Amino acid sequence: MFRFPEGFVWGTATAAYQIEGAARDDGRTPSIWDTFAATPGAVRNGDTGEIACDHYHRLDPDLDLIARLGVGAYRFSISWPRIVPEPGQVNQKGLDFYRRLVDGLHERGVTPYATLYHWDLPQYLEDEGGWVERATAERFAEYADIVHEALADGVAHYTTLNEPWVSAWLGYGYGWHAPGRAEPAAALAATHHLLLGHGLAAEAIRRRDPSAQVGITLNLAPVGPATADPADQAAADRMDGQLNRLFLDPVLRGAYPADVVELYRPVSDFAFVQDGDLATIAAPLDFLGVNYYRPNLAAAEPPGADPVAAGLRLPPGVPVTAMDWPIQPDGLTELLLRLRREYGPVPLYITENGAAFHDYLDPAGRVEDPERIAYLDAHLRAAHTAIGEGVDLRGYFVWSFLDNFEWAEGYSKRFGLIYVEYGSQRRVPKASAGWYRDVIRANGPA
């Protein structure tokens, strides 16, 4: 075994809509994902998160499972419509659930890492325009303040947004995720207002507690050309701009990349950017969360086509996960080194890394998942290499703790360390859960 630095954080992660269920319980109102999942054809097999893993009603046994994994940290998200079910209304029962979650983690020796937004925008805000409207960023800061006031004595680490690229572009640009809009101009406005919401929420939390650790999580990927053709290299630059730099640059440099702004001039004049916004967005981070699953290959897209939706290619001869994502752990090392080289010494956490495979219960009642073990092992080695080359990487969270509702894929894809038999809600630790526990133990005190 190779050892990680002393104090390295070992964790696992989930998101509220993917596991909680209890969609109508204790005052919760619909999110955009409730509405989207109820739309015929939007989600595979018509699956919804109405029940999911029923985590809301199975909190204590699930926390026991987390403790048995041996992790030191658990990253979870908070359901906005469970906390603010109607404009101006605070739902104490929703706050009480997360209080029980946080207290239960501390009782088990696990540090909570709270994510304020993992894609479940209250539907009433979408009815008013959603993230396309500036007011949503302001409402997000108010919600962040409510959560922090309730949980400040139990939570020290806050991620404002999870993967704003997905919220903006899959939700508003391509229509593949909630709220199902396919409008590039709306995606650009949503991008800005999500990032503004991040900045405003960070301000709200730090006003109450300057010692709070506040960051943002971005889904990032190295991007390379599919061939040596200069047209493919230009396509790779465009894809990198839209996927990576459109978010990294304003957060860490205080400016949008000029080439991406020019790329989208035909659909937007960027008038939604107001004086002072970029300073708010670029307030110093306590950490940057990195979600890594795959690198991307880009090929020249047709004129006027989207650089990600139209230009993405699969590398030949590379093994893939059940999501058809290529398994290339060296891309993680490349990404982490790039972040240090181009954006400076911001502390990093890998807030998601994992893979879906075709898991099943065997006749003996076990779930053997050697592919996942090999995947996690290779990516941990890649992360260890980056640390050895000077990257300030402070923790690693496996995605995910439980099999769960995998967004537009419904329940067809299993990422969990714990197998969930959805009909009975029985939990079965996979072989990878034991493997991960052993890795954590091996990295304990010498």
Side-chain angles (χ1 to χ4, degrees):
M1 295 297 298
F2 47 92
R3 290 187 64 84
F4 281 73
E6 184 176 354
F8 191 80
V9 175
W10 297 94
T12 189
T14 61
Y17 189 74
Q18 292 181 273
I19 68 167
E20 284 182 2
R24 299 182 180 90
D25 289 15
D26 291 339
R28 182 187 180 277
T29 55
S31 74
I32 55 174
W33 268 97
D34 294 284
T35 303
F36 187 72
T39 304
V43 174
R44 187 185 294 270
N45 300 323
D47 292 341
T48 77
E50 186 167 344
I51 298 173
C53 304
D54 199 31
H55 175 70
Y56 189 83
H57 297 120
R58 299 169 186 269
L59 179 60
D60 283 330
D62 281 348
L63 294 179
D64 288 341
L65 277 174
I66 290 170
R68 287 202 289 273
L69 281 175
V71 296
Y74 175 55
R75 177 176 175 251
F76 62 94
S77 81
I78 293 170
S79 169
W80 190 347
R82 205 179 286 287
I83 304 304
V84 189
E86 300 291 345
Q89 179 186 115
V90 178
N91 180 23
Q92 188 61 46
K93 288 183 177 179
L95 290 171
D96 289 346
F97 170 74
Y98 294 106
R99 181 81 254 178
R100 292 195 303 274
L101 191 162
V102 167
D103 290 347
L105 289 170
H106 283 296
E107 289 164 6
R108 292 163 175 84
V110 179
T111 300
Y113 281 65
T115 297
L116 295 171
Y117 186 70
H118 201 132
W119 310 351
D120 47 358
L121 183 72
Q123 182 60 44
Y124 63 80
L125 286 175
E126 179 58 31
D127 292 342
E128 298 172 3
W131 287 110
V132 178
E133 298 300 321
R134 186 180 186 89
T136 301
E138 297 163 354
R139 300 293 84 74
F140 179 63
E142 294 166 1
Y143 152 70
D145 192 52
I146 292 165
V147 170
H148 182 261
E149 181 181 16
L151 301 180
D153 62 338
V155 179
H157 299 83
Y158 296 86
T159 297
T160 54
L161 307 175
N162 181 79
E163 299 185 357
W165 180 87
V166 174
S167 297
W169 289 90
L170 296 193
Y172 292 91
Y174 309 146
W176 303 340
H177 278 196
R181 295 170 61 176
E183 307 162 36
L188 289 165
T191 293
H192 181 68
H193 295 140
L194 280 154
L195 294 178
L196 179 62
H198 151 73
L200 293 172
E203 284 181 358
I205 292 170
R206 286 169 173 153
R207 268 197 305 270
R208 286 190 178 274
D209 181 7
S211 70
Q213 298 289 295
V214 183
I216 186 172
T217 281
L218 304 178
N219 56 299
L220 302 171
V223 181
T227 72
D229 188 326
D232 285 355
Q233 180 60 62
D237 292 341
R238 288 190 292 272
M239 183 181 291
D240 178 66
Q242 194 246 50
L243 180 66
N244 295 320
R245 291 183 287 112
L246 183 59
F247 295 85
L248 286 166
D249 282 19
V251 169
L252 295 174
R253 293 176 173 167
Y256 286 111
D259 61 321
V260 180
V261 173
E262 286 308 308
L263 177 67
Y264 285 105
R265 282 292 183 195
V267 298
S268 176
D269 60 5
F270 288 78
F272 43 74
V273 181
Q274 297 185 12
D275 289 347
D277 284 1
L278 286 163
T280 298
I281 292 168
L285 295 176
D286 295 299
F287 63 90
L288 173 66
V290 175
N291 289 358
Y292 175 82
Y293 291 98
R294 56 170 294 175
N296 289 344
L297 280 184
E301 68 276 2
D306 183 87
V308 174
L312 188 62
R313 299 292 183 270
L314 272 175
V318 173
V320 298
T321 70
M323 296 288 288
D324 287 328
W325 295 346
I327 301 172
Q328 295 178 280
D330 289 352
L332 177 56
T333 307
E334 178 186 345
L335 172 62
L336 295 174
L337 291 174
R338 177 196 181 181
L339 290 172
R340 186 199 62 179
R341 182 177 64 250
E342 297 186 13
Y343 293 94
V346 59
L348 303 176
Y349 289 85
I350 297 171
T351 39
E352 289 183 26
N353 177 240
F357 292 104
H358 300 291
D359 303 326
Y360 63 93
L361 276 169
D362 68 17
R366 296 186 298 262
V367 181
E368 302 292 343
D369 56 343
E371 302 95 341
R372 182 171 291 103
I373 292 172
Y375 179 100
L376 296 175
D377 180 82
H379 284 78
L380 280 172
R381 292 178 187 276
H384 191 266
T385 297
I387 292 172
E389 296 191 30
V391 171
D392 185 10
L393 181 64
R394 300 189 178 184
Y396 177 90
F397 293 76
V398 172
W399 185 268
S400 61
F401 164 48
L402 299 170
D403 289 339
N404 55 47
F405 177 82
E406 184 47 42
W407 308 112
E409 296 294 332
Y411 297 100
S412 69
K413 301 295 187 287
R414 294 180 176 271
F415 278 84
L417 294 169
I418 308 296
Y419 184 92
V420 178
E421 192 176 59
Y422 293 112
S424 67
Q425 292 295 344
R426 183 162 66 108
R427 273 75 158 138
V428 180
K430 302 176 188 178
S432 58
W435 175 88
Y436 190 45
R437 182 186 61 239
D438 291 345
V439 168
I440 296 169
R441 284 176 177 169
N443 278 274

